[in-house]
Amino acid sequence: MSTRKRPPPGLSPEQKKARDNKARRRFKAYVRLVMANLFWLGDLDDSLGENVMLNIHKLTKKKIKKSTLTTKEKIILSKPKEDRTEEEKHLLNRAIGGLKVFRRYPPNVKSQLAAVTYFVYIGPDRVIVKQDHAPSAMYFLLSGEGVVTVRTYDKMLKEWIEEEHGTVGPGTMFGEVALIHGISRTATITTTMPCELLMIKKEDFNIVLKETVWKAWEESTRIINRYSYFKNWDTVTKRECSIISRTKTYCPDEVVLGDNIGLPAYSYLITKGTCSIIEHLQVMVTKKDGIKHHKLVIFEGETCVVVRNKKSQKGKCSSKGKGLSSILGLKTKSSQLGIQQSSSGKLNQYSNSVFEINESNIENHFMKVCELSEGAIFNIGETFERRRVVAQTNVNCLLIPRYWLIKMNKDNIWNRVQQYLNKNIPSTQKIYQEWLKEKKFVAYRKMLVQDILANKRVSNTNCIHNVPYSIRIKENAD
């Protein structure tokens, strides 16, 4: 006997069809919700068992940051916006308002976003947006990762070439460029792992976010017109650069780039505030005859390179190009190291040897290399190993894709800037030599003070009892 519920009598064919479509949509919604949470639920058991291969897989697999949204919030975000109650909208307002991707927006915009935002789960190796396609929505990436590719036609080879232009991670907003300017997608974004996103459809974007995003785009345009880097660009080039660039703010002591933080595929133009470049100096300490010896260590996988000072020769460190220095806003100085630009100095030659060492003998020192002020640009291809950029004050940056700067390299400006940065920012070896010199000077100063005190022959025998009693009473010496 069938348990299927029979339709109520008196329904027209159109009503039956509408009812069936509603049931079908509800079933699909439940299936999508199960798929969206299946991956995360399957990752709950991280305990090790007797299966060695399974244990190795659990220990070595890449940990994926999960969404901060609860299952209840995902269910509400999967519902059509018309079916959400006021209580559910209030709950979403609190949940979405606390997310990092929405911190830039004012409270009234956040409340509107809570009413029109949808939750989307996309598995690995799936296309989120495709280049040259018409836009239908914009996205906020909550968890997971995607790779950005751009397909261009090479006139020399007479074929289409697909180039990878970095990745997008949690906290990234994308898809708004095509919507705000009414153009096709400028790039393809493909997931490399399971991703959770928040989606805003085109019609809702036009009502809620278009004005806010447009103001951000206008700010990018003003920044580009302000700096001389872009003075030889025409209006069309500046407009396209504004479209693909983004602005970002940082708090004091926040890492801007480095330590797997930031966007390596973008160049950073500081429009407000000051940053510092911090060098991670690793030094191997050994003892011989009770004396400590230091050697610079550069780790390369499981081995390391120990840099030894073989010989030195005199040379010159040119301080030309002050005009470019003022444009870059670069100050190569450090209170810790006392590094300053000078007209002459010593250039050392080094020989490298590779071998295994004990990591317990390694000292880690974080040294301030230089300051980058307003107008400075970095991460355009200069040497950046073992370094990170940290905000000293509240910092605003304009992020421009590096491929775009290479493509629009008029007058060879970016190659000149890159060479200038590599020449004037001290290298790891120079920082190590300055650190070693400072350490030796501190030890020499301490020893010198001790020797002076030890060789002092006239001792001071004066004491409080040599002061007249009347003065001691007046001055409360006792």
Side-chain angles (χ1 to χ4, degrees):
M1 182 176 179
S2 176
T3 59
R4 182 178 178 182
K5 188 176 180 180
R6 294 185 178 182
L11 291 178
S12 65
E14 292 78 9
Q15 290 175 328
K16 290 180 181 179
K17 186 176 181 180
R19 186 202 58 188
D20 292 342
N21 289 337
K22 184 177 180 180
R24 192 178 296 109
R25 288 195 301 268
R26 184 179 299 172
F27 175 75
K28 288 182 178 179
Y30 285 133
V31 171
R32 285 195 297 268
L33 183 61
V34 171
M35 291 176 60
N37 290 278
L38 184 62
F39 175 82
W40 315 102
L41 293 174
D43 196 40
L44 292 176
D45 184 19
D46 284 333
S47 59
L48 302 180
E50 297 180 357
N51 190 323
V52 177
M53 297 303 297
L54 182 60
N55 293 341
I56 294 175
H57 173 70
K58 289 181 178 180
L59 292 172
T60 57
K61 69 179 179 179
K62 187 175 181 180
K63 296 294 183 181
I64 301 174
K65 184 180 179 182
K66 299 180 182 180
S67 169
T68 55
L69 295 175
T70 64
T71 305
K72 182 178 180 181
E73 293 163 352
K74 293 177 185 177
I75 293 173
I76 300 173
L77 288 167
S78 300
K79 294 170 59 176
K81 62 180 182 180
E82 298 83 6
D83 296 343
R84 301 175 188 176
T85 64
E86 291 299 323
E87 183 181 353
E88 290 174 340
K89 292 178 182 178
H90 182 67
L91 175 65
L92 291 181
N93 187 20
R94 287 186 298 174
I96 290 178
L99 295 177
K100 185 178 180 180
V101 292
F102 292 121
R103 289 178 186 172
R104 72 189 81 176
Y105 301 121
N108 62 321
V109 174
K110 290 180 184 178
S111 61
Q112 295 179 65
L113 287 173
V116 299
T117 305
Y118 291 90
F119 172 78
V120 179
Y121 167 82
I122 300 180
D125 302 320
R126 299 289 301 275
V127 174
I128 306 176
V129 296
K130 191 170 182 63
Q131 185 177 349
D132 298 328
H133 280 207
S136 59
M138 69 163 295
Y139 301 88
F140 297 91
L141 186 58
L142 297 177
S143 63
E145 187 179 78
V147 61
V148 182
T149 55
V150 176
R151 190 167 177 261
T152 56
Y153 185 76
D154 193 313
K155 295 181 180 179
M156 297 293 293
L157 300 177
K158 295 183 178 180
E159 61 180 17
W160 289 92
I161 299 176
E162 190 172 87
E163 296 178 311
E164 185 176 317
H165 290 156
T167 59
V168 292
T172 304
M173 176 181 73
F174 59 90
E176 78 283 2
V177 170
L179 290 177
I180 194 172
H181 296 283
I183 59 177
S184 301
R185 298 291 191 192
T186 57
T188 299
I189 298 181
T190 308
T191 60
T192 58
M193 60 180 68
C195 293
E196 288 190 336
L197 307 100
L198 292 179
M199 178 184 69
I200 301 176
K201 296 180 180 179
K202 181 179 180 179
E203 56 272 16
D204 297 321
F205 171 83
N206 291 334
I207 298 173
V208 178
L209 267 186
K210 187 173 183 178
E211 184 179 354
T212 303
V213 177
W214 181 268
K215 289 180 180 178
W217 177 77
E218 287 183 328
E219 176 63 21
S220 299
T221 304
R222 285 194 293 269
I223 291 172
I224 289 174
N225 290 328
R226 188 194 312 168
Y227 293 100
S228 57
Y229 298 116
F230 318 101
K231 64 181 180 181
N232 293 329
W233 286 7
D234 54 34
T235 305
V236 176
T237 303
K238 291 180 179 179
R239 180 180 66 84
E240 292 181 354
C241 184
S242 301
I243 291 174
I244 61 176
S245 300
R246 62 182 70 177
T247 57
K248 198 167 183 181
T249 59
Y250 301 90
C251 300
D253 300 326
E254 183 178 356
V255 177
V256 178
L257 183 66
D259 297 326
N260 297 322
I261 298 174
L263 300 172
Y266 284 77
S267 296
Y268 290 69
L269 172 62
I270 301 176
T271 60
K272 179 183 177 182
T274 305
C275 295
S276 297
I277 295 181
I278 307 297
E279 172 88 19
H280 182 192
L281 206 63
Q282 295 177 296
V283 181
M284 182 176 68
V285 182
T286 57
K287 279 190 176 183
K288 186 176 181 181
D289 300 328
I291 301 175
K292 283 186 176 182
H293 298 272
H294 300 84
K295 295 177 182 177
L296 176 63
V297 175
I298 301 176
F299 281 95
E300 296 179 353
E302 296 181 355
T303 60
C304 69
V305 177
V306 177
V307 184
R308 295 176 175 175
N309 188 0
K310 185 178 181 181
K311 60 181 180 178
S312 63
Q313 61 182 18
K314 290 187 177 180
K316 291 186 177 180
C317 181
S318 176
S319 58
K320 295 180 180 179
K322 293 183 179 179
L324 186 57
S325 177
S326 61
I327 293 174
L328 293 174
L330 176 66
K331 301 177 182 178
T332 52
K333 62 180 182 180
S334 169
S335 57
Q336 291 94 328
L337 298 176
I339 299 175
Q340 296 180 350
Q341 288 181 317
S342 60
S343 58
S344 64
K346 290 183 178 180
L347 301 177
N348 296 312
Q349 296 181 350
Y350 300 89
S351 62
N352 299 342
S353 58
V354 180
F355 55 90
E356 294 183 0
I357 64 171
N358 186 356
E359 291 189 11
S360 61
N361 295 334
I362 300 299
E363 291 183 354
N364 293 287
H365 300 273
F366 295 90
M367 316 300 295
K368 180 179 175 182
V369 179
C370 66
E371 292 181 358
L372 299 170
S373 58
E374 181 180 344
I377 189 168
F378 60 92
N379 198 38
I380 61 172
E382 71 274 16
T383 305
F384 211 78
E385 292 85 2
R386 299 169 301 279
R387 292 179 177 178
R388 71 267 309 135
V389 179
V390 180
Q392 284 189 339
T393 61
N394 291 317
V395 173
N396 295 343
C397 287
L398 177 68
L399 280 62
I400 308 173
R402 285 173 60 181
Y403 80 88
W404 180 261
L405 295 181
I406 295 172
K407 182 180 178 181
M408 300 298 172
N409 193 14
K410 294 185 178 181
D411 300 330
N412 207 30
I413 178 65
W414 303 116
N415 296 93
R416 290 162 53 200
V417 171
Q418 178 182 339
Q419 292 172 6
Y420 179 85
L421 291 174
N422 285 331
K423 183 178 181 180
N424 289 275
I425 296 179
S427 64
T428 300
Q429 289 86 351
K430 186 174 182 180
I431 293 172
Y432 168 69
Q433 290 298 320
E434 294 289 341
W435 173 82
L436 200 60
K437 189 186 300 182
E438 179 71 17
K439 191 175 184 66
K440 290 179 179 179
F441 174 74
V442 171
Y444 169 76
R445 183 177 61 187
K446 183 178 180 180
M447 182 184 66
L448 186 63
V449 171
Q450 291 176 348
D451 290 344
I452 292 174
L453 294 176
N455 295 330
K456 193 172 182 180
R457 298 177 181 177
V458 181
S459 60
N460 186 1
T461 58
N462 198 9
C463 65
I464 190 65
H465 300 289
N466 295 335
V467 181
Y469 190 71
S470 59
I471 296 178
R472 281 189 283 163
I473 292 177
K474 185 176 180 180
E475 300 294 337
N476 295 321
D478 292 337

